[in-house]
Amino acid sequence: MHDFDTIRYKTYLRSTSLGRNIAVFPELESTNTWLKTAVSSGLSDGMICLADRQIKGRGQYQKHWVSEPCANLTWSYLLKPDTHDRLFLLALACIHAVATVIERNYDLGARIKWPNDLMVNGKKMAGVLAEAVFNGNHLERFIVGVGLNVNQRSFPDYVPEAASIAQFTGQYVDREYLLAEIVNETDLFLHAWMGKDTNLVQQINRRLIGYGKRVRVSVDGIAHDGDMLLLGVNNHGHLLVLDNTYTVHTYSYEQVRIDAHTI
Ligand code: BTN
């Protein structure tokens, strides 16, 4: 395992803006925290912050994101969209890009578990933590942090769901090439998001675990009575489910989870 090589990463990069400006750190508290707290003047739209090791990597639901140093990829995008509409969809577009590359380059079936998990054969390979920074009503920055398990060969017992690409393929993965491929793909999906391309929503729904199935939904850890029919996400990236009284519920809240046992 070696330190991330920015020069080699750039040889694979095709995007003209996204990920061209990249701040790489051997060690950082958290790439999301760094982009959240850095002074605005030093930040450009589409820049990336990457750390080979995070001391306080943060996950969804106030959990820690633990990752073996130099084995995996932990990075965040700094985005400055013109609107704060459809931010859930924007975060989903980022995880969909990761899934697309994993499927295409490593021949692994990658699915999205709403809101922001990437699953392969029932195991979690990546997760996204999206955070918006507002100045009054104005969206100042939108940070999308991605933790992707790449070359780690074993995981602690307290994360039994976790798995890496290398565990499935048996091969060492080139992190610089992989990140560049992901950024190239993300660039396409960000343009689709900006252009309100309905194809993006369709592609995400095609990848969505439980799509069209009866699932058990829990809100703040409390299971909703009875199964619900998962209708997919709408063009805001919000989750739509139909309950057994034929009422559609729209969820835009990360504390809503789809119970995997029902899928
Ligand atoms: C999850 O819980 O599934 C989301 C995990 C997100 C982890 C990434 S690693 C890079 C970025 N920096 C952080 O502190 N968290 C995100």
Side-chain angles (χ1 to χ4, degrees):
M1 308 289 175
H2 59 82
D3 293 354
F4 189 82
D5 181 345
T6 308
I7 295 173
R8 217 160 54 70
Y9 153 79
K10 285 200 176 162
T11 62
Y12 301 120
L13 198 63
R14 290 190 302 275
S15 72
T16 50
S17 166
L18 187 71
R20 288 255 150 226
N21 180 3
I22 180 166
V24 176
F25 297 89
E27 192 174 285
L28 208 59
E29 191 170 300
S30 146
T31 55
N32 266 39
T33 307
W34 191 83
L35 285 174
K36 250 173 111 170
T37 52
V39 286
S40 287
S41 55
L43 303 176
S44 59
D45 185 18
M47 81 171 283
I48 283 180
C49 173
L50 178 142
D52 272 331
R53 178 193 162 118
Q54 291 189 122
I55 314 289
K56 284 190 192 161
R58 295 184 288 115
Q60 298 159 25
Y61 320 111
Q62 261 76 50
K63 288 187 187 159
H64 292 293
W65 182 261
V66 183
S67 176
E68 199 177 292
C70 297
N72 302 315
L73 284 167
T74 47
W75 80 99
S76 306
Y77 301 102
L78 185 272
L79 303 172
K80 294 183 173 181
D82 297 339
T83 165
H84 53 75
D85 272 352
R86 303 182 297 124
L87 293 181
F88 260 80
L89 187 66
L90 186 51
L92 279 167
C94 293
I95 198 82
H96 174 48
V98 180
T100 303
V101 170
I102 285 174
E103 204 155 77
R104 186 180 60 213
N105 293 27
Y106 307 99
D107 204 18
L108 298 170
R111 314 282 314 273
I112 295 172
K113 187 169 164 194
W114 195 89
N116 286 323
D117 290 348
L118 190 160
M119 310 292 292
V120 172
N121 286 354
K123 294 279 193 178
K124 179 161 168 171
M125 193 167 275
V128 157
L129 178 68
E131 299 180 288
V133 178
F134 282 91
N135 187 354
N137 211 17
H138 168 73
L139 177 66
E140 198 194 275
R141 38 188 116 154
F142 188 56
I143 295 145
V144 183
V146 188
L148 170 61
N149 298 324
V150 182
N151 284 314
Q152 189 162 339
R153 293 300 178 134
S154 64
F155 290 87
D157 292 345
Y158 58 84
V159 280
E161 263 203 323
S164 68
I165 303 175
Q167 280 181 317
F168 281 107
T169 62
Q171 310 261 312
Y172 173 80
V173 176
D174 179 342
R175 289 191 306 150
E176 288 78 7
Y177 173 70
L178 172 58
L179 183 64
E181 284 278 284
I182 291 170
V183 175
N184 294 335
E185 201 68 36
T186 306
D187 193 38
L188 300 177
F189 293 147
L190 291 190
H191 281 97
W193 180 85
M194 281 183 250
K196 298 190 177 173
D197 185 348
T198 51
N199 223 336
L200 176 65
V201 181
Q202 291 167 345
Q203 285 179 30
I204 290 169
N205 276 324
R206 202 175 305 137
R207 259 193 211 291
L208 198 64
I209 291 182
Y211 169 76
K213 296 207 173 127
R214 303 204 74 83
V215 295
R216 183 58 63 99
V217 172
S218 60
V219 181
D220 285 328
I222 299 163
H224 193 282
D225 277 348
D227 287 351
M228 312 242 238
L229 184 65
L230 203 161
L231 303 173
V233 299
N234 62 14
N235 54 14
H236 287 262
H238 297 164
L239 188 73
L240 301 181
V241 290
L242 181 76
D243 73 13
N244 46 21
T245 69
Y246 299 96
T247 306
V248 176
H249 299 255
T250 307
Y251 292 119
S252 57
Y253 179 47
E254 278 136 2
Q255 297 302 101
V256 173
R257 306 193 78 171
I258 300 162
D259 186 347
H261 303 295
T262 55
I263 297 167

